[in-house]
Amino acid sequence: MKLGLSPLQGTGSFEETIRECERAEAAGFDSVWLGEHHNNPVLYPAPLLGLAAIAARTRRVALGTGVLLLPLYHPMSVAEEGAMVDMISGGRLILGVGAGYAPEEFAAFGLSVKQRGSRLDEGAALLRRLWTETHVTHHGRYYHVEDATVGPRPLQQPAPPIWFGAWTPPAIQRAARLGDAWLGGPSAALSELSSCVKSYRAARSEMGKEPGEIASFRYIFVAGTTGQALAAAGDSFIQAYENMYFRWPHPVIKRPQGELSIERLAENRIILGDPETCVREISRFREELGLDHLICRFSVPGISREASMASLDLFAREVMPALR
């Protein structure tokens, strides 16, 4: 199983984000990932721009968008910018895309959230054509391209991998048809992830395709003892989930009923505890999902930078070797 890092976003300077990525590369992580949100004081809006900066300060790790909200863009722009990141990084881009689900983000761009699925369907198919063909002409419902050729071309051939965040049955079918991997979000419970993974694998099989990669984000906090981890991170994780995830409507991910506690979140959403507990919980996720790529988030608003980096370092020293 490969291990990725989703670094600090939005609560400090971008220099801190880059340093965290450098730290992860030195520790042996396989990838780093930037997400995208808008009208949000915590999360950054431009993942490809951020990855270009990280590319200049790293040499080995894959660079992923987790996820880029493709319906908000013209596919030609994403194809060109993605090709530039792939060139700048020496062929390390993984383009993770999703439809999005927050109405205020679409409103900020003057778009209807109801069109997000059909925009993603048309946009992703066109994006792949732009990366693999020359002189592309397309006249669709949303996008029009006349004799377009992306230059420079991506270094990865035939194209950088495209991973899909997908939750609903139509979205999972789209991911199976157009993508190279399924990418689960950090707020989903294990049962919610498992249901989507089974549907994705079934769809790939029905299409006569290889199973495809399975990846997922998880919040992780490692400390010397589980008690120390609960005390240091508990309230911050609860507030993060309430403010960043459960306040938005979502087709699959549901807020647990009643009052949230860190113990309830740690049951099947957060990897939290001493190193042995974290190894055991990650192994449970890996076995249940057939997980190929785990993307770790150690930073959350409310937890000090020092505590987050201590958690990352302890993970690298005592958890990562057991997972390898």
Side-chain angles (χ1 to χ4, degrees), residues 52 55 90 105 121 149 154 160 185 201 258 261:
E105 295 187 317
D121 207 332
T149 300
R201 287 206 173 104
S261 68

Side-chain angles (χ1 to χ4, degrees), residues 16 43 77 84 99 113 200 215 224 232 241 280-281 289 299 307 319:
E16 287 185 90
L43 302 173
S77 295
M84 285 293 296
V113 71
Y200 175 75
Y241 271 71
R280 184 171 61 249
E281 286 301 293
L289 302 175
S299 299
V319 178

Side-chain angles (χ1 to χ4, degrees), residues 98-123:
Y101 52 84
E104 64 265 33
E105 295 187 317
F106 284 81
F109 284 80
L111 299 173
S112 169
V113 71
K114 295 180 180 179
Q115 296 175 344
R116 65 190 186 278
S118 52
R119 282 183 174 273
L120 178 58
D121 207 332
E122 183 179 341

Side-chain angles (χ1 to χ4, degrees), residues 192-215:
E192 293 164 341
L193 292 171
S194 181
S195 176
C196 290
V197 167
K198 290 175 182 175
S199 297
Y200 175 75
R201 287 206 173 104
R204 295 277 296 189
S205 177
E206 289 169 3
M207 295 174 190
K209 295 189 173 189
E210 296 295 322
E213 277 198 73
I214 302 297

Side-chain angles (χ1 to χ4, degrees), residues 246-265:
F246 294 148
R247 73 183 182 91
W248 281 322
H250 196 281
V252 172
I253 299 170
K254 304 302 178 187
R255 183 193 184 279
Q257 293 185 350
E259 184 176 354
L260 280 185
S261 68
I262 187 58
E263 290 82 5
R264 291 180 70 194
L265 286 176

Side-chain angles (χ1 to χ4, degrees), residues 17 52 86 143 213 234 272:
T17 301
D86 202 52
Y143 308 112
E213 277 198 73
L272 180 145

Side-chain angles (χ1 to χ4, degrees), residues 33 163 181-185 213-217 291-295:
W33 298 75
W163 294 13
W182 181 85
L183 181 58
E213 277 198 73
I214 302 297
S216 184
F217 290 85
L291 198 60
D292 300 299
H293 207 126
L294 174 68
I295 303 165

Side-chain angles (χ1 to χ4, degrees), residues 14 22 64 70 74 98-100 107 116 118 142 157 183 189 208 215 219-220 235 244 246 254 256 266 284 293 301 305:
F14 198 74
E22 292 176 315
L70 188 58
H74 194 290
R116 65 190 186 278
S118 52
Y142 302 109
Q157 292 296 316
L183 181 58
Y219 279 102
I220 294 178
D235 290 342
M244 289 198 296
F246 294 148
K254 304 302 178 187
R284 182 167 69 99
H293 207 126
R305 197 81 184 107

